[in-house]
Amino acid sequence: DIEILAQKVVYSSHGDRELDVRLYADAAAELCLEAMMMSVADPSVMSEAQTPKSVSVSDIVETTEDVIFDRSSHLRSDASVMKDYYQRKDAQHVIIRGTDEVLFASSTKLALPTLQSLQEDAALIALMQQTAGTNNSDEVLEKRTFLGRLGTSQTPVFALFLPENAAIDSSS
């Protein structure tokens, strides 16, 4: 099941696209960190069977490697590096519905599908096609935003934006 653990609305006071991208990327990174580190004691995100507990980084990410998130903003203007990152099958994706919902696979784990699973999983493909309004899920993938790199493997992490009304299948 996917649950929404945190939401945030970010307003821009200007129309500068480059500054807005950085503003939104910073806000998304902050929101992910806040959600990953928050206590699950909020009753609005707990089922009756859960008991309150603190969430550690190891609850959210496999800790077989150093858990370091590098925003890598210096790479955003390097077209060849970005082309490579956009094509990496192991690239992970933070799914954002609307402007303020980050989707989780469970109460303590982010939903971080890889590019490979986005391209092969029937439910994810259907969701992206629904989002694009066509049979072409590539349109959604083309609009991803690079957030940074994770761990010593430097796995690229992207934000994948879905409209507010996107119907998320809780079994995916």
Side-chain angles (χ1 to χ4, degrees):
D1 293 341
I2 295 177
E3 297 179 45
I4 299 167
L5 294 183
Q7 299 182 48
K8 186 178 216 173
V9 177
V10 178
Y11 296 100
S12 171
S13 61
H14 50 76
D16 185 323
R17 185 165 190 235
E18 184 175 341
L19 291 176
D20 283 345
V21 168
R22 289 183 186 187
L23 174 71
Y24 299 141
D26 287 342
E30 284 177 18
L31 183 60
C32 286
L33 185 59
E34 288 171 17
M36 290 188 318
M37 297 303 161
M38 70 181 245
S39 169
V40 187
D42 181 353
S44 67
V45 296
M46 287 179 31
S47 69
E48 293 176 12
Q50 293 174 310
T51 57
K53 71 173 192 132
S54 294
V55 178
S56 71
V57 172
S58 62
D59 289 331
I60 296 148
V61 183
E62 295 298 326
T63 54
T64 56
E65 61 180 347
D66 295 334
V67 181
I68 299 171
F69 186 73
D70 176 5
R71 293 254 347 276
S72 305
S73 57
H74 64 286
L75 295 176
R76 295 168 198 261
S77 60
D78 187 329
S80 64
V81 170
M82 287 293 101
K83 181 178 179 182
D84 176 56
Y85 284 170
Y86 273 87
Q87 295 173 351
R88 277 186 54 174
K89 295 288 187 187
D90 65 337
Q92 296 182 335
H93 299 80
V94 175
I95 301 173
I96 301 171
R97 181 169 56 183
T99 58
D100 57 1
E101 297 177 353
V102 177
L103 300 179
F104 283 69
S106 72
S107 63
T108 60
K109 297 228 185 239
L110 276 170
L112 289 170
T114 62
L115 177 59
Q116 182 170 350
S117 58
L118 288 172
Q119 293 173 328
E120 295 176 357
D121 183 275
L124 292 171
I125 291 169
L127 177 62
M128 289 189 298
Q129 288 173 343
Q130 169 202 358
T131 298
T134 68
N135 285 335
N136 186 359
S137 60
D138 291 340
E139 288 181 30
V140 175
L141 292 174
E142 290 170 6
K143 295 178 183 177
R144 295 175 290 166
T145 299
F146 177 70
L147 298 176
R149 300 178 296 180
L150 183 63
T152 56
S153 65
Q154 301 292 282
T155 304
V157 179
F158 293 92
L160 181 71
F161 299 98
L162 303 176
E164 192 170 301
N165 63 348
I168 306 294
D169 179 5
S170 62
S171 65
S172 55

